[in-house]
Amino acid sequence: MREADLVVIGGGPAGLCAAISAAESGARVLVIERNKVLGGQLVKQTHMFFGSEKQYASDRGIDIAGMLLNKLGCFNNVEILTETTVVGMYEDGVISVLHKEDVYYKIKPKAVVVSTGAFEKALAFPNNDLPGIYGAGAVQTLMNVHGVKPGDKVLMVGAGNIGLIVSYQLIQAGVEVAAILDAAPRIGGYLVHASKIRRMGVPILTSHTVKEAIGKDFVEKAIVSQVDEKFRPIAGTEKEFDVDVICISVGLTPLNELLSMRGCQMKYVPQLSGFVPIRDENYETTVEYVFAAGDATGVEEASAAMVEGYLAGLCAASKIGCTPDDFDERKSDYVKQLNDLRSGPVSRHILSGIEQIVI
Ligand SMILES: Cc1cc2nc3c(=O)[nH]c(=O)nc-3n(C[C@H](O)[C@H](O)[C@H](O)COP(=O)(O)OP(=O)(O)OC[C@H]3O[C@@H](n4cnc5c(N)ncnc54)[C@H](O)[C@@H]3O)c2cc1C
């Protein structure tokens, strides 16, 4: 059994910032990431971020990951394990990890920050398992990480920010986007993204959904139809699109089964996109010494995930005896940054979700 001070699970923006903040406070930190590279979702994001300067607005996601890694590299009290997945968190505080799918061992940390992010929601429709049907994250990974075009002609399902941004990136990569659908009567993403896409001639069909995929060995067609106010397909409104890719971008769900396994109290909060941990203002869950940050505590944005990470890392380090002299100033600065980020009208629903889980 290996001992550790603070273990950060997940090396996305929330986890990297938690590690930086805890290391700055003097804690010995072990970051565990299942992928080969750190950065989480950021490594596939080639677009410039919105938000405020403190959270790298106008920088590209991939560059933000690089900047956070440079910061982390300045500390000699941080150890990083990549290609290592945390597979269990147990009542006695032990966590179990699997390295490269064959080396299994246990770690007993004094405290943990769980920053495991979120996973993509799927859609149920006939033939939704045909090759050529991808989640938007997979399409981004193919194009932006591996330089592979997913196909020639795409139907995008979901007009939230992710659907709109990925559609734009597909067009930049030389892929035709036949249309963007959304079952909701309004476009969910920022209008600046939607206008850009519309100017490029891509129709955005609200109150529409994909009814069926057609194809033998791969997608050849998509049948879409209009939906009524209860999201039921309206017979007779079907249209066909000749496409070889259907990209599903209908939202994310917090990935936090490790917290449930550990016994943290969870609550279903639609505004935060799924089951999330009940926590205090320090991001400590109902299980002492277990903290959480980022999309795992509710799907939001990288900007909020980073600040939550800084705050959770600071408080987790303090909990195990590493309290810096400027603890109060740092904490109130992070709280203020989060309040500023959530001050716009778009964040009202997030705040109404957070109200339900903070004790
Ligand atoms: C297309 C797209 C565009 C976006 N644009 C913006 C934008 O413009 N501005 C913005 O602020 N946000 C944007 N976001 C949102 C942003 O990317 C996320 O909110 C952010 O990445 C969440 O950070 P996180 O650290 O919580 O999770 P993630 O970035 O998902 O990182 C979680 C990490 O944990 C690892 N992990 C999971 N489980 C385990 C385990 N058991 N063991 C070890 N490691 C594990 C994962 O591999 C991953 O690296 C966008 C998202 C997408 C998909």
Side-chain angles (χ1 to χ4, degrees), residues 19 30 44 60 65 70 134 156-157 188 260 287 309 311 319 326:
L30 174 63
K44 53 181 100 148
R60 296 178 195 279
N70 283 343
Y134 296 94
M156 178 65 67
V157 185
S260 307
V287 173
L311 185 49
K319 184 91 188 188
D326 60 352

Side-chain angles (χ1 to χ4, degrees), residues 10 13-14 33-34 40-41 45 47 49 86 116-117 140 295 301-303:
E33 166 57 50
R34 67 181 174 186
Q41 300 285 337
Q45 292 168 2
H47 63 281
F49 270 40
V86 175
T116 41
Q140 271 201 318
D295 279 358
E301 293 210 316
S303 39

Side-chain angles (χ1 to χ4, degrees), residues 223-277:
I223 312 287
V224 313
S225 81
Q226 219 173 312
V227 292
D228 64 17
E229 65 288 348
K230 291 195 170 146
F231 302 107
R232 290 172 305 206
I234 304 174
T237 62
E238 291 82 2
K239 298 181 192 64
E240 278 187 20
F241 286 93
D242 291 329
V243 290
D244 58 355
V245 172
I246 300 175
C247 181
I248 310 292
S249 177
V250 294
L252 302 165
T253 301
L255 177 64
N256 50 29
E257 285 85 350
L258 289 170
L259 293 171
S260 307
M261 184 177 186
R262 180 66 180 85
C264 303
Q265 206 182 324
M266 309 293 282
K267 183 171 179 184
Y268 185 79
V269 182
Q271 295 93 327
L272 300 176
S273 304
F275 280 95
V276 288

Side-chain angles (χ1 to χ4, degrees), residues 53-193:
E53 221 176 277
K54 270 197 166 167
Q55 284 82 43
Y56 308 100
S58 304
D59 281 304
R60 296 178 195 279
I62 177 79
D63 297 331
I64 299 173
M67 288 186 258
L68 295 177
L69 287 172
N70 283 343
K71 266 194 184 179
L72 197 61
C74 299
F75 297 100
N76 56 15
N77 48 340
V78 177
E79 188 188 342
I80 293 165
L81 290 177
T82 52
E83 294 182 85
T84 307
T85 305
V86 175
V87 290
M89 282 177 69
Y90 307 96
E91 262 180 29
D92 54 3
V94 169
I95 65 175
S96 53
V97 303
L98 192 60
H99 176 64
K100 287 191 177 171
E101 302 194 350
D102 54 3
V103 183
Y104 177 84
Y105 55 95
K106 294 177 185 171
I107 306 176
K108 179 128 191 196
K110 291 181 183 156
V112 187
V113 177
V114 175
S115 45
T116 41
F119 66 98
E120 289 185 291
K121 289 181 179 154
L123 263 190
F125 55 87
N127 294 329
N128 73 349
D129 57 350
L130 273 175
I133 302 180
Y134 296 94
V139 165
Q140 271 201 318
T141 306
L142 275 177
M143 283 194 305
N144 301 344
V145 179
H146 302 296
V148 174
K149 260 169 68 173
D152 293 320
K153 200 167 175 187
V154 176
L155 177 73
M156 178 65 67
V157 185
N161 278 326
I162 297 180
L164 296 173
I165 290 171
V166 174
S167 295
Y168 185 69
Q169 293 174 349
L170 281 160
I171 296 168
Q172 284 181 314
V175 178
E176 189 181 340
V177 178
I180 304 177
L181 315 178
D182 205 302
R186 276 176 289 112
I187 294 170
Y190 295 140
L191 283 182
V192 61
H193 296 315

